[in-house]
Amino acid sequence: MKPNILIFMTDHQRADTVLPNGPAHMPNVAKLAAEGVRFSETHCPTPHCCPSRASFFSGLYPSRHGVWNNVCNDQALRTGLLPGVKLWSEDLQQAGYKSHYSGKWHVSADETPKDRGWLEHLVTATGQANMGLSWQDYEDQAKTYDTSPRQEGELVRLGYPRTQLYGVNDAGNAHDEKVVDTALDALTELEQETDPWCLYVGAIGPHDPYVAPQRFLDMYPIEDIELPVNFADAMTDKPRVYQRMREQVFGQFSEYEYKQCIRHFYAFCSYLDDLFGKLMDKLEAIGQADNTLVIYCSDHGDYNGEHGLFAKGIPCFNGAYHVPNVMRWPKGITNPGRVVDDFVSLADFAPTFQELAGLEPDETLTGSSLVPFLHDEQPATWRDDIATQCDGVELYYTQRSIRTKDYKYTFNGFDQDELYDLSIDPHEMRNVADDPHYQDIKRDMCKRLWRFAKQENDSANHSYLTIRLAPYGPMMAFMDEPS
């Protein structure tokens, strides 16, 4: 019997918030994990909403689906998916599913979910939402620019809008409250549904600014908040833009403000858990929990104070790429309560849903089906590394990375590369890319990176003289024993 599918996708949430002994209070997600499977090493392909969401829905990486950055502003490299790219919602439609959408889209400015097989209840982050400031906006704001001293939690730089990074709102997040209420109404409609159904619920939390009701903030006394182990990393062995981001933006904050940001981020996560709990209660009330695959996931992470940074961007640190992924399906998961530590990608959801819908998983996709893991089976072959593709956020860079359990290598076309020995440096503090003792490792990681690039038809391989900046070039993809 095909399962129903209920997806709750947050925005900007780090994986550690849902891992065992994690820093956030998330009892509803913890219950989901106890009754299902927690995928502890799930990663997004790029730390940006649109390309990661496009990968989630298509099963492809940016080089093949065509979305590289925010599709809803004038800096977009593309405003939509490449021609011919299919989404898994279309597969579900073919398999007889009735699919319902409530929440954030942010996959294409040229289409909305209804163009891809969804019934739209509430959709945000479409092409009508221009997520940037025009020159007229800047001119208007300049006329009334506030030059008063910086207040607690504010990021202030002359000529830029003042930004409050954290705060309290006992009414909650208006967007996410409405999205969940709409989804609850949709679940009421689905109570009598005889066809298999899919309900996607897309929140915008815990995206900055970190604002949550006081009752969730009270769960995290400020005196209990600790700064990350790598907070004091001066990043002098890392690309200059990493240092610049900290110095010019977040370096305004005192350590107290850093702790407040971290505290508010966790409170936002707990608030989302509470909203998610309402969906779980409703699912039980309509009697459809047993044959519903419930997924709690996110599009990308947040640095949350690591290396002195917040939000996400070009710094290729794990906090921005490592995302939650918890699944429950009472009728379909074998030996619930397990943790799967294999590398998982957001691109793996598309072939998973194809298989669950009774279709043959598309082997041309970047991702692979997670169904064997749900049945407590180890796939015959599975990746032993995970790659990323990033061409910047709204400032353009060429950056590619590859990581194994023990090492992580990042090719930064704009600055020095990075290599971390994760076996002894899990917090990415010491860049050993230029350490002669690690040259064989770096060569192997480059080979892995280029093989993935070749597989995904990644065009970041141009041979012109002045951009031959990787330590080992694309021919490594075809060399078993490089000379």
Side-chain angles (χ1 to χ4, degrees), residues 273-290:
D273 179 84
D274 189 69
L275 293 177
F276 174 68
K278 295 179 181 179
L279 292 169
M280 293 300 93
D281 290 345
K282 185 67 173 182
L283 186 64
E284 293 286 347
I286 66 172
Q288 298 216 29
D290 282 352

Side-chain angles (χ1 to χ4, degrees), residues 156-171:
V156 178
R157 296 190 63 221
L158 186 61
Y160 288 100
R162 297 171 74 109
T163 302
Q164 183 71 32
L165 197 54
Y166 59 85
V168 174
N169 183 351
D170 286 332

Side-chain angles (χ1 to χ4, degrees), residues 21-32:
N21 304 311
H25 301 292
M26 302 195 67
N28 290 299
V29 176
K31 184 174 186 290
L32 192 78

Side-chain angles (χ1 to χ4, degrees), residues 39 42-43 55-56 58-61 64 88 325 327 342-356 360-374 378-386 452 455-456:
F39 293 87
T42 301
H43 297 260
S55 289
F56 173 81
S58 70
L60 302 171
Y61 263 47
R64 292 174 64 197
W88 55 255
N325 180 10
M327 300 187 189
D342 295 76
F343 284 126
V344 168
S345 167
L346 288 188
D348 294 333
F349 285 94
T352 300
F353 296 151
Q354 289 173 344
E355 183 169 353
L356 291 173
E360 193 69 28
D362 184 351
E363 294 185 357
T364 68
L365 299 180
T366 311
S368 300
S369 174
L370 299 173
V371 170
F373 292 114
L374 299 182
Q378 183 66 34
T381 58
W382 196 257
R383 66 181 69 94
D384 62 357
D385 53 32
I386 192 89
F452 183 81
Q455 170 192 311
E456 296 305 307

Side-chain angles (χ1 to χ4, degrees), residues 150-158 160-166 208 210 231 235 240-255 257-258 261 302-303 305-315 395 397:
R150 186 181 75 85
Q151 302 299 305
E152 180 192 323
E154 265 195 318
L155 296 172
V156 178
R157 296 190 63 221
L158 186 61
Y160 288 100
R162 297 171 74 109
T163 302
Q164 183 71 32
L165 197 54
Y166 59 85
D208 58 277
Y210 316 124
F231 170 75
M235 298 193 284
R240 174 59 187 154
V241 68
Y242 295 14
Q243 303 166 46
R244 188 175 181 182
M245 187 182 296
R246 175 171 181 160
E247 292 165 4
Q248 294 184 185
V249 182
F250 304 108
Q252 305 173 45
F253 283 168
S254 64
E255 289 193 5
E257 288 172 297
Y258 268 95
C261 280
D302 188 299
Y303 304 123
E306 292 184 338
H307 306 275
L309 304 171
F310 289 97
K312 84 284 185 184
I314 197 64
L395 293 175
Y397 301 85

Side-chain angles (χ1 to χ4, degrees), residues 3-7 289-295 327-330 333 352-353 356 374:
N4 305 315
I5 302 170
L6 194 162
I7 302 160
D290 282 352
N291 195 42
T292 298
L293 173 66
V294 177
I295 300 169
M327 300 187 189
R328 187 194 73 179
W329 176 21
I333 288 180
T352 300
F353 296 151
L356 291 173
L374 299 182

Side-chain angles (χ1 to χ4, degrees), residues 315-334:
C316 194
F317 296 129
N318 195 47
Y321 283 89
H322 192 195
V323 295
N325 180 10
V326 182
M327 300 187 189
R328 187 194 73 179
W329 176 21
K331 281 192 174 181
I333 288 180
T334 304

Side-chain angles (χ1 to χ4, degrees), residues 185-206:
D185 290 341
L187 281 172
T188 298
E189 296 176 20
L190 292 171
E191 183 172 5
Q192 304 302 322
E193 182 62 72
T194 56
D195 291 326
W197 53 262
C198 177
L199 173 61
Y200 177 88
V201 186
I204 61 170

